[in-house]
C-alpha cells in the first residue's frame, strides 16, 4: 500500500512540475504573443474601467469621462469639443488617440509607471492608478478669440508668448467634435466615415500639421538675413530695384501689387510689401545666408514636437537665382506652418531669440501632485539683437502706416506683416491671406504675444488680403492676451 501511495505522490509531483513548467513557458516565452492577441481584451477592458485623467486649460478641464454602464465602461467627453479639438485630439475606444490624448495617453489612462506609489506595486496588487491630468499653456480668451474670428472661414491661428515659447492659442477651422468618436458603436463609425470623407478635412490640425506658402510674411526672414549679412546697412537708403524686376537668368518679370516700389528703400518696401525689392534682396544676400537665417528661425527642422509632432516648414536650398528670388518672397517651395510663422514674429519681438514652443505646462497626479514640468526651454539666436530692433521698427511701420492698420490696438505697441500667398497650378487658387504680428501692452516691459493667422478661403480672389482678412483676427487674439 505504501508503494502505491509513493507512486501516486511522485506522479502528482511530476504533474505539479509540468504545470509549473508550462506556466513559466506561457508567461516567459509566449507572454507577448498572448498580450498582442486581438482576442485578449483584458487590457482594453481594464483601460476603460475607470475615468480618464483630464486635459486642463487655465485650471479647468476641457475633457471629461462618462459612465456608460457597458463592458467598456467609461467614454471620453469634450464639453467644448470643436474649440479645443486641435489641442486635445480625440480618445476613441474604436480609433485610438491623437494630439495630446495620444502623446500623454499613458499618464491620462493611469498606466504611466511614475503614477505608481511604489515600484512594482501594481504588479503585486493587480490595481491601476487613477489617471493623471495634463495642464496646458493655452490662454482660454485667446483660444476663443481665434476660434470665433475664424468661425465662418477655413484657416488656422497660432499664438505664442515670445519670452517663454508657451503656446497661447492653437486653432484650426473647420473643426469637429471629438466626442462623436469616443465610443465603439455605430455612432462613432458613422462619424469617422463622415469626417474622413469631408473634403474640408476637419480633423486636420491646420495650425501645426499643414504647411502653406507664407507669401510676404516671409519678407521678415529675408530682411533679417540681409541686415545680418550687411547687405542692407541703412533702412532708408534707396535700393537699386527696378519695377518690374526680371528674375535672374529668365525673361519672367516680377511685379508688385502696390505702386511706388521702384528703387524703394527697405523701410518703404516693407510697408508697401514690394515683391521686387525683396526678391532682389534675397538674391543679393545669397542662398547660404538665406538658408542659415531661415533655419535659425526653425525652417528645415523636421523634428519639432510640442509634444505632438509639428509638420516641418521648409526653405529649399537647391535653387537657382531665379528660384531664390521667389523663395525670398515666400513663394516657390517655401512652406510654413502657422506655428512656425508665429515663431518668426516672436523672434522679432524677443530681441532676436527663438524659444522652443511648448503646449504642456506640467502634468499632475489625480490628487494634484506634480509629476513633471516644462522647465526651461532651449533658446537659439535667429538674428543679431541690433537686427531685431530694426525689424521691430519695420513691423511697427506696417501697422502704423501700411497694410496692417487693422491690427492696431490703442494703448499698445503692435508690429505686423501682411501676406497674400499665391498657390495652385499657374497660381490659379484663391490666395491665402496671412498676417503675423506681436503686441506689447503700454505698461509691459516686453511683448506678451506673437500671432500668426492664415485664412484659406474667400468669396472671390479680390476679397481676400492679409491686412483685410487676417489682421482683424490677429488683433482680437492679441487684445485677449493683453487684456488685464
Amino acid at each position: 500500500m505504501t508503494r502505491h501511495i509513493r507512486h501516486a505522490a511522485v506522479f502528482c509531483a511530476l504533474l505539479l512540475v509540468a504545470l509549473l513548467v508550462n506556466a513559466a513557458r506561457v508567461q516567459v516565452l509566449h507572454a507577448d504573443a498572448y498580450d498582442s492577441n486581438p482576442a485578449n481584451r483584458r487590457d482594453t477592458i481594464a483601460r476603460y474601467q475607470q475615468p480618464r485623467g483630464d486635459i486642463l486649460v487655465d485650471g479647468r478641464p476641457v475633457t471629461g469621462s462618462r459612465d456608460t454602464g457597458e463592458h467598456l465602461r467609461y467614454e471620453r467627453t469634450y464639453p467644448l469639443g470643436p474649440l479645443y479639438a486641435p489641442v486635445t485630439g480625440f480618445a476613441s475606444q474604436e480609433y485610438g488617440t491623437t494630439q495630446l490624448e495620444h502623446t500623454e495617453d499613458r499618464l491620462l489612462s493611469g498606466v504611466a509607471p511614475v503614477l505608481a506609489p511604489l515600484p512594482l506595486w501594481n504588479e503585486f496588487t493587480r490595481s491601476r492608478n487613477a489617471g493623471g491630468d495634463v495642464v496646458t499653456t493655452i490662454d482660454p480668451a485667446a483660444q476663443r478669440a481665434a476660434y470665433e474670428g475664424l468661425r465662418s472661414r477655413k484657416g488656422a491661428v497660432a499664438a505664442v508668448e515670445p519670452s517663454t515659447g508657451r503656446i497661447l492659442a492653437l486653432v484650426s477651422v473647420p473643426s469637429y467634435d471629438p466626442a462623436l468618436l469616443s465610443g465603439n458603436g455605430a455612432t462613432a463609425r458613422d462619424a469617422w466615415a463622415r469626417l474622413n470623407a469631408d473634403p474640408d478635412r476637419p480633423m486636420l490640425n491646420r495650425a501645426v500639421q499643414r504647411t502653406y506658402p507664407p507669401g510676404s510674411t516671409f519678407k521678415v526672414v529675408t530682411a533679417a538675413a540681409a541686415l545680418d549679412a550687411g547687405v542692407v546697412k541703412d533702412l532708408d537708403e534707396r535700393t537699386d530695384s527696378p519695377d518690374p524686376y526680371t528674375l535672374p537668368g529668365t525673361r519672367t518679370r516680377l511685379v508688385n501689387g502696390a505702386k511706388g516700389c521702384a528703387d524703394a528703400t527697405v523701410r518703404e518696401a516693407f510697408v508697401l510689401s514690394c515683391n521686387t525689392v525683396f526678391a532682389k534682396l534675397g538674391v543679393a544676400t545669397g542662398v547660404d545666408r538665406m538658408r542659415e537665417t531661415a533655419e535659425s528661425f526653425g525652417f528645415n527642422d523636421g523634428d519639432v514636437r510640442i509634444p505632438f509632432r509639428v509638420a516641418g516648414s521648409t526653405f529649399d536650398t537647391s535653387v537657382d537665382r531665379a528660384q531664390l528670388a521667389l523663395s525670398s518672397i515666400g513663394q516657390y517651395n517655401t512652406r510654413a506652418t502657422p506655428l512656425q510663422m508665429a515663431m518668426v514674429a516672436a523672434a522679432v519681438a524677443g530681441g532676436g531669440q527663438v524659444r522652443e514652443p511648448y503646449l504642456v505646462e506640467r502634468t499632475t497626479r489625480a490628487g494634484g501632485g506634480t509629476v513633471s514640468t516644462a522647465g526651461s526651454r532651449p533658446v537659439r539666436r535667429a538674428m543679431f539683437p541690433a537686427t531685431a530692433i530694426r525689424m521691430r521698427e519695420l513691423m511697427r511701420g506696417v501697422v502704423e502706416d501700411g497694410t496692417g492698420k487693422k491690427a492696431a490696438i490703442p494703448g499698445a505697441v503692435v508690429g505686423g506683416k501682411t501676406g497674400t500667398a499665391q498657390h495652385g497650378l499657374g497660381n490659379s487658387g484663391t490666395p491665402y491671406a496671412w498676417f503675423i504680428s506681436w503686441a506689447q501692452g503700454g505698461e509691459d516691459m516686453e511683448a506678451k504675444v506673437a500671432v500668426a493667422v492664415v485664412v484659406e478661403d474667400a468669396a472671390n480672389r479680390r476679397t481676400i488680403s492679409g491686412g483685410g482678412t487676417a489682421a482683424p483676427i490677429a488683433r482680437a487674439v492679441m487684445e485677449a492676451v493683453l487684456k488685464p
Side-chain angles (χ1 to χ4, degrees):
M1 187 66 178
T2 302
R3 181 168 59 87
H4 293 301
I5 293 174
R6 187 166 56 250
H7 288 171
V10 171
F11 181 68
C12 288
L14 290 173
L15 290 177
L16 180 60
V17 170
L19 182 63
L20 292 173
V21 170
N22 186 62
R25 179 184 66 85
V26 169
Q27 292 187 12
V28 176
L29 300 179
H30 299 286
D32 290 342
Y34 283 115
D35 280 342
S36 60
N37 191 311
N40 180 8
R41 290 173 57 81
R42 290 176 59 191
D43 282 345
T44 302
I45 293 170
R47 176 185 180 88
Y48 297 107
Q49 278 300 107
Q50 66 180 27
R52 190 171 172 84
D54 283 318
I55 297 171
L56 280 66
V57 171
D58 196 28
R60 299 175 182 175
V62 295
T63 58
S65 295
R66 180 175 69 92
D67 190 348
T68 66
E70 298 178 358
H71 204 46
L72 301 182
R73 184 172 172 181
Y74 286 95
E75 280 185 9
R76 197 58 149 162
T77 61
Y78 299 89
L80 299 170
L83 175 61
Y84 289 105
V87 176
T88 64
F90 62 76
S92 170
Q93 295 176 352
E94 185 82 12
Y95 301 107
T97 54
T98 60
Q99 313 295 52
L100 284 184
E101 293 278 29
H102 179 70
T103 58
E104 306 298 327
D105 179 63
R106 290 177 63 80
L107 179 116
L108 292 166
S109 61
V111 301
V114 71
L115 297 175
L118 295 170
L120 303 179
W121 175 262
N122 291 349
E123 294 294 327
F124 290 106
T125 62
R126 297 292 181 184
S127 62
R128 195 181 188 94
N129 300 305
D133 294 334
V134 176
V135 180
T136 71
T137 59
I138 294 294
D139 180 322
Q143 184 81 0
R144 186 166 291 280
Y147 183 73
E148 291 179 351
L150 279 172
R151 186 184 295 275
S152 62
R153 296 185 180 276
K154 188 188 304 181
V157 178
V160 301
E161 186 176 63
S163 62
T164 63
R166 297 170 67 245
I167 296 174
L168 304 177
L170 207 63
V171 169
S172 177
V173 175
S175 189
Y176 70 104
D177 185 357
L180 297 174
L181 303 172
S182 293
N184 59 10
T187 299
R189 289 191 290 272
D190 290 346
W192 179 259
R194 183 176 69 256
L195 289 169
N196 279 286
D198 191 330
D200 286 336
R201 304 180 68 187
M203 289 195 293
L204 173 67
N205 188 343
R206 289 171 162 82
V208 296
Q209 292 177 335
R210 181 168 186 178
T211 60
Y212 303 82
S216 292
T217 60
F218 192 79
K219 291 170 184 173
V220 173
V221 178
T222 301
L227 285 165
D228 270 4
V231 174
V232 172
K233 295 182 173 63
D234 184 350
L235 298 178
D236 297 304
E237 183 180 345
R238 309 300 298 180
T239 60
D240 181 16
S241 303
D243 182 11
Y245 168 59
T246 302
L247 298 180
T250 76
R251 295 181 180 178
T252 302
R253 300 201 308 172
L254 185 66
V255 297
N256 297 293
K259 295 180 179 180
C261 289
D263 298 327
T265 67
V266 171
R267 190 185 304 277
E268 292 169 341
F270 197 84
V271 170
L272 295 172
S273 200
C274 298
N275 290 331
T276 52
V277 174
F278 282 93
K280 188 172 182 293
L281 202 58
V283 173
T285 304
V287 67
D288 290 338
R289 292 304 295 263
M290 284 295 298
R291 174 196 57 77
E292 180 182 336
T293 301
E295 291 182 354
S296 69
F297 276 103
F299 284 81
N300 296 340
D301 183 354
D303 197 34
V304 178
R305 296 181 180 275
I306 61 171
F308 47 82
R309 184 178 177 276
V310 178
S313 299
T314 56
F315 181 79
D316 193 346
T317 58
S318 58
V319 291
D320 59 27
R321 296 174 75 232
Q323 293 163 342
L324 176 60
L326 295 176
S327 298
S328 300
I329 58 171
Q331 298 289 167
Y332 188 58
N333 286 341
T334 305
R335 308 280 296 189
T337 62
L339 180 60
Q340 172 61 66
M341 295 312 297
M343 290 168 61
V344 169
V348 174
Q353 292 185 319
V354 177
R355 271 76 175 178
E356 182 179 300
Y358 65 101
L359 185 57
V360 175
E361 195 76 74
R362 65 183 183 276
T363 58
T364 67
R365 295 180 175 83
T370 298
V371 173
S372 66
T373 60
S376 59
R377 312 301 292 176
V379 180
R380 65 175 177 272
R381 182 177 61 80
M383 67 192 99
F384 294 129
T387 296
I389 291 173
R390 293 203 273 182
M391 291 306 306
R392 283 174 64 97
E393 290 179 27
L394 293 179
M395 293 185 75
R396 286 185 63 178
V398 170
V399 174
E400 294 169 4
D401 304 311
T403 53
K405 291 181 179 179
K406 290 187 177 181
I409 300 173
V413 178
V414 180
K417 183 69 190 79
T418 57
T420 306
Q422 306 294 329
H423 66 100
L425 184 63
N427 292 333
S428 60
T430 301
Y432 299 136
W434 277 94
F435 191 74
I436 66 172
S437 59
W438 50 265
Q440 179 176 338
E443 298 182 359
D444 295 328
M445 298 298 293
E446 58 188 10
K448 293 297 184 183
V449 59
V451 183
V453 178
V454 63
V455 179
E456 296 184 25
D457 57 354
N460 59 67
R461 293 175 65 93
R462 281 180 286 183
T463 62
I464 193 165
S465 69
T469 308
I473 301 172
R475 171 182 170 155
V477 175
M478 293 186 292
E479 283 182 318
V481 175
L482 295 180
K483 189 177 298 183

